[in-house]
Amino acid sequence: MSDLPEHISIWGELADVDHRLRHVHVDGVRTRVLQAGSGPDLILLHGTGGHLEAYARDIAGLAADFHVTAYDMVGHGWSDLPDKPYTIDVLSDHLIGLMDALDIDSAHLSGESLGGWVVAWTAAHHPERVGRLVLNTPGNIANKPEVMARMRDSTMAAVRDPSDETVRRRVEFLFHHKEMVTDELVNLRRSVYSRPDFVQAITNTLVLQDPVVRKDFAWDPAWVGEVKAPTLLLWTEHDPTGGLDEAAMLLEWLPDARLHVIADAGHWPQWEKPDEYLRAHHDFLVLGKDPA
């Protein structure tokens, strides 16, 4: 029998790990949650326009060390879409409310892109709820207008016209190896973007790409310096939203931070380089040492 071809599918990645997928009510917001594993709590947060399947390739590996929780942030995925701006404080309050609903007093937090922004804000404003922190390609630390415009325009175009072509282009933006973007991943996101009221929901998310709204939450040493949790900056060589110069800014602002750069990956190292992503989390969160 010939070797099985490598095929990345979300169900295939979750096939051999016991997990529970359900909806939890968080202050009136029906929130989709996936949990697996046992051990210290680790909560995963996706990026703008994303959903918990962003971590499909990592759940099994993380569940060997942690009680893992991945969820759709308010206004995202298959969680409720209340009509209000999803500013960073709103997203952080939703995270704290979810932890309360799940009886999680304190957890390690790992957030990608927008999720990284939310977990950093949470660590600064609710330090007693956070163990260690992983900021995975948080992006645009320098608040560059051209990056905000690119994010806003590409996301809005895909939601207004959730065709294969426009959504595939939006998903490929996240990858260095665009050949890794599967039909399943594109169609999953097309389903999210086709939900009733999702145009308004993404409009409420993209207020963070408006400089006037953003200024109250923008990355700034005044609040970033309040993050006391030991922090790992997980960067890549080809992140389209921010380079290593921006990682250097965060290293100066964060009181207790170190940097690990994953080679040959874009904005989704958790999907493109799962082995290195998992190793970095194990080294930093379990062994308490800087990733090699």
Side-chain angles (χ1 to χ4, degrees):
M1 185 176 73
S2 61
D3 293 338
L4 285 171
E6 182 180 358
H7 175 67
I8 301 169
S9 78
I10 291 168
W11 173 245
E13 297 289 345
L14 293 172
D16 196 34
V17 57
D18 292 338
H19 63 276
R20 183 182 186 190
L21 182 67
R22 57 182 167 146
H23 285 83
V24 174
H25 286 272
V26 180
D27 299 325
V29 175
R30 188 170 181 263
T31 302
R32 192 172 68 121
V33 178
L34 185 149
Q35 291 185 293
S38 61
D41 278 291
L42 170 64
I43 304 177
L44 308 172
L45 284 78
H46 57 76
T48 297
H51 37 82
L52 62 84
E53 284 83 358
Y55 292 102
R57 305 200 74 194
D58 316 294
I59 297 293
L62 293 172
D65 290 319
F66 305 102
H67 181 225
V68 184
T69 299
Y71 73 103
D72 294 342
M73 290 192 284
V74 58
H76 286 77
W78 280 270
S79 289
D80 275 352
L81 315 172
D83 187 10
K84 63 179 182 180
Y86 308 134
T87 48
I88 295 299
D89 55 342
V90 169
L91 297 171
S92 177
D93 287 348
H94 181 236
L95 168 60
I96 293 297
L98 177 66
M99 293 174 69
D100 291 341
L102 297 175
D103 292 325
I104 298 174
D105 292 332
S106 178
H108 301 312
L109 304 179
S110 179
E112 176 260 331
S113 194
L114 173 63
W117 195 358
V118 175
V119 300
W121 183 272
T122 302
H125 293 82
H126 303 277
E128 75 283 0
R129 307 300 297 267
V130 182
R132 286 181 167 233
L133 199 61
V134 180
L135 308 184
N136 174 12
T137 58
N140 202 12
I141 307 303
N143 306 302
K144 295 175 181 175
E146 65 273 21
V147 176
M148 285 187 258
R150 188 163 67 242
M151 177 64 71
R152 182 181 61 244
D153 295 346
S154 65
T155 304
M156 187 56 79
V159 172
R160 283 179 171 155
D161 173 24
S163 63
D164 182 277
E165 181 182 4
T166 57
V167 176
R168 188 175 297 275
R169 187 182 308 122
R170 175 63 176 81
V171 177
E172 287 180 346
F173 168 77
L174 306 170
F175 284 70
H176 179 55
H177 286 279
K178 303 188 188 311
E179 71 277 9
M180 294 183 72
V181 176
T182 65
D183 291 344
E184 180 191 36
L185 193 55
V186 172
N187 288 329
L188 190 69
R189 191 163 287 219
R190 289 183 67 192
S191 297
V192 171
Y193 288 1
S194 299
R195 290 184 63 192
D197 301 324
F198 202 79
V199 170
Q200 184 58 45
I202 204 67
T203 302
N204 285 327
T205 298
L206 293 174
V207 294
L208 290 167
Q209 308 307 326
D210 180 335
V212 175
V213 176
R214 190 184 182 97
K215 65 180 177 55
D216 290 334
F217 309 97
W219 294 93
D220 187 278
W223 69 264
V224 175
E226 297 300 317
V227 176
K228 301 301 188 292
T231 302
L232 172 65
L233 303 183
L234 201 56
W235 233 263
T236 69
E237 288 183 335
H238 303 285
D239 184 356
T241 66
L244 290 172
D245 57 326
E246 301 194 26
M249 294 171 64
L250 277 184
L251 280 175
E252 287 190 7
W253 298 349
L254 287 160
D256 185 0
R258 68 281 300 143
L259 173 67
H260 180 70
V261 180
I262 295 179
D264 198 32
H267 200 53
W268 265 29
Q270 77 274 13
W271 190 281
E272 289 190 272
K273 298 289 182 179
D275 291 345
E276 190 166 353
Y277 174 87
L278 292 172
R279 187 165 54 249
H281 279 70
H282 182 81
D283 286 354
F284 182 63
L285 300 179
V286 177
L287 303 180
K289 67 177 189 179
D290 294 351

